[in-house]
Amino acid sequence: MVSVVGGNPVEQVFQVDLRGIVDLLSHHLYGSPRVYVRELLQNAVDAITARHALDPQARAQVRIETPASTGDGTIRVHDSGVGLTEAEVHTFLATIGRSGKRDDLGFARHEFLGQFGIGLLSCFLVADEAEVLTRSARGGPTVRWTGFADGRYRVEPATRERDEPGTTVILAPRRGAEQWLTPTTVIELARLFGSLLPFEVTVDGEPITEPEVPWRATHPTPSDRTNALAAYAEDTFGFTPFATFDLACAESGVTGVAFVLPQPVNPAAKAGHRVYLKRMLLAESVTGLLPDWAFFVRCVVDTTELRPTASREALYEDDLLESTREALGGRIRDWLVELSTSDPSALHRFLRIHDLGVKALALHDDDMLRLVDRWLPVETNAGQIPLAEFRRRFGEVRYTPSVEEFRQLAAVASAAGIGLVNGGYSYITDILERLPAIDPEIRVRRLDPAELATHFDLVDPATELALRPFLTTAQRVLDRLECEVVLRTFDPPSLAALYLLDRDAQHRAELRATREVADELWADVLGAFDTDQAGDRPQLVLNYRNPLVRRITGLADARLVTTAVEALYSQALLLGQHPMRPVDTALLNKSFVGLLDWAVHDPRGEL
């Protein structure tokens, strides 16, 4: 800040409201006051690391005493670290954000977890006063620093010397925060954040650190290791994994283990992973560590190189995290490929649970595309079979882009000897169109519904001649609907009529529908693209093998024929789940009412 006094600029120092800083930490930086235990452990570990740089043989220990041991309601955190001199106390504990002299103790190097002064501020989330007793390993007396939440502090000689170099932090809970300093809470938080630390950590004399991280522990047999990791997943995430496998990325110093979920999950849900930074828990639900498609995996990892965010509750998004994400995704892909050769039955079980994730990966990974092609069952008109098996049976891969179109055409295509894949489910159409990327010989194309008409049998010429009056009446009905009537015989006989619309005709139909709701200017513009030819109109194919159609073609009453044809047209649209225009909806209602009226007045009540 610069002010002007007597015409001359005078530099001044910003004033810092420590209460405001504490409120900022509490409500906007840290997710919960519970992180004060993590920050104290972090400071202790960094101090021990710095001490080892001076004396590799120095004892490494962190001791936490809860009110159950202190007897005065305070907690005390003792470490055997490097300690601070009086000058260093002023530098590190009394200046927020100061970093210019941090490397004097080595705290700027990447071996350390954080910054001592900022970490100590977290104490004011649960206490109004923090007392620090510290003795430097470089020499000098024990110094006492007392800080207050309102921004005051004092430094003075300690009334009693520490027996050895290191630091003790003493906290008394503020009113309303007592629950954060109870023995049960402190033990729980110390175990949560520090159980994997490489130094001995005790709470009230009881060790809370594990001898080794779970995925590095030795076991008599591979089966014993698998069972131990499954038990760890149950304790950590609450599920028994479908499978476990190791994760590693040398670039970011990541090691860990992946757990495959045993049940389907929502692919849109963000997967949270447990992440340790140099064996200190960073957070229990870190997102962005794995690719989005790997939503079926939860993992626990330790990293030495990835950067935490300011709150130390997430990972900083940078190029290193991106390359780590790709490397870990590659490891998951490799596991799937290995599973396809080592245990195909397990792969089948996995695909039944997590097919969406594998299909998403196959969109941009050729190895996974080969796995999907060979192993993943898809819906076809020959049943649920893998694509490789489908090609073996039918050669060319023909598909429909929607579930509705598949359901309308599957039986007809099957009767015509045409193999058909349902491409309407997630990723299937994209996967089909990518198949030539792994084998240029694979032929894939979308089925044109009008193509099926070439596989239908013609009606006997004499029969068709005899039915000319019926066909003339039927065509007159359909002319106003811009549709052609065709009489053929095809299977299955239970299907009375089929509405066939090739892609060009479908495009023109959509164009006309848009013109109907557009203003006059846009209607004229769209009209320039409408080049309809009579022969290219949609077709209503009547199946002469169907008993109902046979009886309709024998009707003598032209009005009844009209109503019946309108009903068959409406039914074909509904069965094919084609869009219904206003004129189609009106026709459906008209034919329904007409048939009811005819049924009521006809003494036989049947066609």
Side-chain angles (χ1 to χ4, degrees):
M1 175 180 176
V2 179
S3 61
V4 178
V5 178
N8 298 316
V10 178
E11 290 189 354
Q12 299 184 19
V13 178
F14 282 105
Q15 301 299 309
V16 177
D17 179 0
L18 189 57
R19 284 192 181 276
I21 294 294
V22 172
D23 180 73
L24 177 66
L25 293 175
S26 178
H27 295 96
H28 302 286
L29 185 62
Y30 295 128
S32 164
R34 70 177 189 163
V35 299
Y36 85 93
V37 173
R38 182 192 68 193
E39 298 299 316
L40 290 178
L41 283 173
Q42 169 187 297
N43 289 341
V45 170
D46 282 346
I48 292 172
T49 303
R51 174 76 180 278
H52 276 187
L54 297 176
D55 179 8
Q57 304 304 316
R59 186 167 59 91
Q61 185 185 54
V62 180
R63 294 186 298 111
I64 302 176
E65 295 179 296
T66 73
S69 295
T70 62
D72 58 3
T74 65
I75 70 164
R76 302 185 180 208
V77 180
H78 311 273
D79 70 62
S80 58
V82 71
L84 301 173
T85 65
E86 181 176 346
E88 291 166 347
V89 165
H90 285 283
T91 299
F92 290 102
L93 303 189
T95 307
I96 298 174
R98 177 104 176 236
S99 60
K101 295 184 179 180
R102 293 180 67 242
D103 204 38
D104 292 345
L105 295 180
F107 284 117
R109 298 197 300 272
H110 90 284
E111 291 88 353
F112 298 92
L113 291 169
Q115 182 171 324
F116 191 81
I118 292 295
L120 194 60
L121 276 179
S122 66
C123 295
F124 296 117
L125 299 176
V126 297
D128 286 325
E129 178 180 322
E131 181 180 347
V132 177
L133 301 174
T134 183
R135 175 184 165 189
S136 176
R138 294 180 175 85
T142 301
V143 179
R144 179 184 181 188
W145 177 91
T146 307
F148 303 90
D150 59 7
R152 296 177 296 113
Y153 77 93
R154 64 172 179 262
V155 180
E156 58 192 334
T159 57
R160 192 179 73 176
E161 286 291 318
R162 283 180 56 93
D163 295 334
E164 61 177 354
T167 300
T168 298
V169 179
I170 305 171
L171 300 180
R174 73 155 58 97
R175 180 175 298 179
E178 293 85 358
Q179 74 273 19
W180 295 109
L181 276 71
T182 62
T184 300
T185 300
V186 173
I187 292 172
E188 178 184 339
L189 294 178
R191 195 180 303 278
L192 173 67
F193 291 112
S195 63
L196 298 188
L197 286 172
F199 308 128
E200 180 186 5
V201 180
T202 63
V203 180
D204 292 336
E206 294 295 325
I208 58 103
T209 45
E210 302 291 339
E212 185 56 277
V213 295
W215 53 93
R216 293 178 185 160
T218 58
H219 299 275
T221 67
S223 178
D224 290 333
R225 182 176 189 265
T226 299
N227 293 336
L229 290 176
Y232 176 67
E234 183 68 43
D235 291 339
T236 304
F237 295 113
F239 65 83
T240 300
F242 174 87
T244 64
F245 55 93
D246 292 320
L247 294 175
C249 177
E251 181 184 10
S252 54
V254 168
T255 64
V257 61
F259 302 105
V260 179
L261 290 163
Q263 69 280 325
V265 291
N266 181 2
K270 289 291 186 181
H273 311 285
R274 178 170 287 211
V275 176
Y276 291 83
L277 177 60
K278 302 179 182 72
R279 298 180 61 166
M280 169 76 77
L281 179 66
L282 187 69
E284 298 173 88
S285 189
V286 174
T287 60
L289 181 65
L290 299 182
D292 290 340
W293 56 260
F295 56 82
F296 52 85
V297 171
R298 299 292 181 270
C299 66
V300 181
V301 300
D302 180 46
T303 177
T304 59
E305 305 298 330
L306 292 176
R307 296 167 54 195
T309 58
S311 68
R312 297 184 52 77
E313 296 178 354
L315 292 172
Y316 185 77
E317 188 68 43
D318 57 10
D319 291 341
L320 181 58
L321 178 58
E322 175 63 26
S323 63
T324 300
R325 188 159 45 231
E326 292 179 3
L328 297 183
R331 176 66 190 100
I332 297 171
R333 180 203 62 191
D334 292 343
W335 170 76
L336 285 169
V337 174
E338 292 166 5
L339 196 64
S340 68
T341 57
S342 64
D343 194 348
S345 62
L347 179 64
H348 279 298
R349 295 195 303 273
F350 170 81
L351 291 176
R352 284 197 296 269
I353 302 172
H354 298 299
D355 63 309
L356 281 178
V358 176
K359 288 189 290 188
L361 178 55
L363 296 183
H364 55 83
D365 185 280
D366 288 349
D367 287 338
M368 292 309 300
L369 183 60
R370 293 185 183 94
L371 185 146
V372 166
D373 180 46
R374 181 179 178 186
W375 297 104
L376 182 69
V378 297
E379 184 177 8
T380 76
N381 60 348
Q384 291 275 349
I385 57 175
L387 291 170
E389 173 64 17
F390 180 88
R391 293 200 310 279
R392 189 186 66 79
R393 295 188 191 181
F394 298 101
E396 184 179 27
V397 178
R398 282 181 273 199
Y399 70 92
T400 62
S402 70
V403 175
E404 293 77 15
E405 188 174 340
F406 175 82
R407 290 173 179 169
Q408 179 197 15
L409 302 178
V412 179
S414 181
I418 298 174
L420 191 61
V421 177
N422 184 355
Y425 294 114
S426 299
Y427 307 120
I428 295 298
T429 292
D430 293 331
I431 286 173
L432 292 173
E433 293 177 349
R434 276 208 72 225
L435 285 177
I438 60 173
D439 184 355
E441 297 297 321
I442 297 177
R443 293 176 298 145
V444 178
R445 66 185 177 93
R446 176 179 172 179
L447 178 71
D448 189 336
E451 177 186 348
L452 290 176
T454 63
H455 295 268
F456 297 162
D457 294 329
L458 297 174
V459 177
D460 176 77
T463 301
E464 186 167 7
L465 182 62
L467 297 177
R468 181 64 60 186
F470 165 80
L471 293 174
T472 300
T473 302
Q475 187 58 63
R476 188 164 52 248
V477 172
L478 296 180
D479 275 340
R480 65 177 184 271
L481 300 170
E482 300 177 334
C483 182
E484 295 290 321
V485 65
V486 179
L487 188 65
R488 294 288 187 270
T489 62
F490 55 88
D491 291 323
S494 58
L495 185 62
L498 190 63
Y499 183 82
L500 294 181
L501 182 67
D502 66 26
R503 271 176 268 175
D504 290 339
Q506 183 177 9
H507 172 71
R508 286 190 294 274
E510 293 170 352
L511 195 65
R512 293 192 191 100
T514 303
R515 288 179 60 192
E516 291 178 3
V517 298
D519 58 35
E520 183 177 350
L521 174 62
W522 279 109
D524 290 341
V525 172
L526 294 173
F529 296 95
D530 188 359
T531 57
D532 181 28
Q533 301 295 325
D536 293 333
R537 296 197 296 182
Q539 294 180 335
L540 179 67
V541 184
L542 302 181
N543 186 5
Y544 197 62
R545 285 186 183 154
N546 180 268
L548 178 61
V549 171
R550 285 177 176 269
R551 290 155 68 185
I552 290 175
T553 59
L555 293 173
D557 189 333
R559 290 179 301 174
L560 188 53
V561 169
T562 297
T563 301
V565 170
E566 292 173 343
L568 289 173
Y569 172 84
S570 300
Q571 183 200 36
L573 286 180
L574 292 173
L575 288 177
Q577 299 197 27
H578 296 284
M580 299 283 287
R581 300 170 296 174
V583 64
D584 298 326
T585 303
L587 188 71
L588 172 64
N589 295 330
K590 174 177 175 290
S591 61
F592 178 73
V593 172
L595 289 174
L596 283 180
D597 181 67
W598 177 84
V600 169
H601 289 82
D602 189 280
R604 296 171 298 171
E606 61 180 7
L607 289 176

